[in-house]
Amino acid sequence: MIVESGKWMVLIATVWIQAFTGTNFDFSSYSSELKSVLEITQLQLNCLSVASDMGKAFGWCSGFSLMYFPLWVVMFMSAFLGLLGYGFQWLVIQRLITLPYFLVFFLCLIAGCSICWFNTICYVLCIKNFTTNRSLALSLSISFNGH
């Protein structure tokens, strides 16, 4: 019974991780502030949005890294990427630091990538813990992913 409840706790944890790390559509919630603080055009803001989406395209790196590193290393790497990407963007929006446009572009790229790294961890945890009900666990986890 403890093993059975443990795997459900893993599923609940993956749902919470995905809820806290943001959805794939989070850029729009703070983009107007970013545009105002950086004093950029709509075209430049669109480029930052594309950078965030491009970061998601590099999400394959997380799965590749799992072939060489343990899960906890990949988890800390995703946390580091998220803290770096979103943390520095928050500092810019709060006007605590000023960064040139190309660095903010890079931060958007990193932030977008961090979401995929967290999602990879969640999927791997579900696959490892739900051997018979993988599809159920993955579908419940994905439903909180913002798709």
Side-chain angles (χ1 to χ4, degrees):
M1 184 64 177
I2 292 174
V3 173
E4 185 71 23
S5 64
K7 71 181 184 179
W8 286 101
M9 291 303 293
V10 167
L11 179 63
I12 291 168
T14 62
V15 168
W16 279 103
I17 288 170
Q18 290 182 323
F20 284 127
T21 58
T23 66
N24 289 325
F25 310 109
D26 61 351
F27 184 79
S28 61
S29 64
Y30 63 89
S31 62
S32 58
E33 279 294 317
L34 199 56
K35 179 181 177 184
S36 173
V37 169
L38 294 174
E39 299 176 353
I40 57 176
T41 65
Q42 185 62 41
L43 181 61
Q44 289 173 308
L45 182 65
N46 292 348
C47 289
L48 293 180
S49 176
V50 169
S52 179
D53 291 339
M54 280 180 17
K56 294 170 186 79
F58 291 113
W60 61 269
C61 298
S62 59
F64 188 72
S65 67
L66 279 170
M67 293 186 338
Y68 300 101
F69 299 108
L71 189 63
W72 66 269
V73 171
V74 177
M75 183 180 70
F76 280 113
M77 186 62 184
S78 59
F80 174 76
L81 289 171
L83 183 62
L84 182 70
Y86 289 113
F88 276 96
Q89 285 183 68
W90 180 81
L91 292 173
V92 168
I93 290 172
Q94 295 299 313
R95 299 179 193 265
L96 297 173
I97 62 171
T98 56
L99 294 174
Y101 179 79
F102 76 92
L103 281 180
V104 176
F105 183 91
F106 185 66
L107 291 174
C108 289
L109 186 83
I110 291 172
C113 189
S114 73
I115 293 169
C116 293
W117 281 64
F118 274 117
N119 291 342
T120 299
I121 291 164
C122 292
Y123 301 153
V124 168
L125 285 172
C126 287
I127 289 168
K128 283 184 177 182
N129 286 286
F130 286 86
T131 54
T132 56
N133 294 325
R134 262 186 211 143
S135 57
L136 171 66
L138 285 173
S139 64
L140 289 172
S141 178
I142 289 170
S143 66
F144 290 92
N145 192 3
H147 290 290

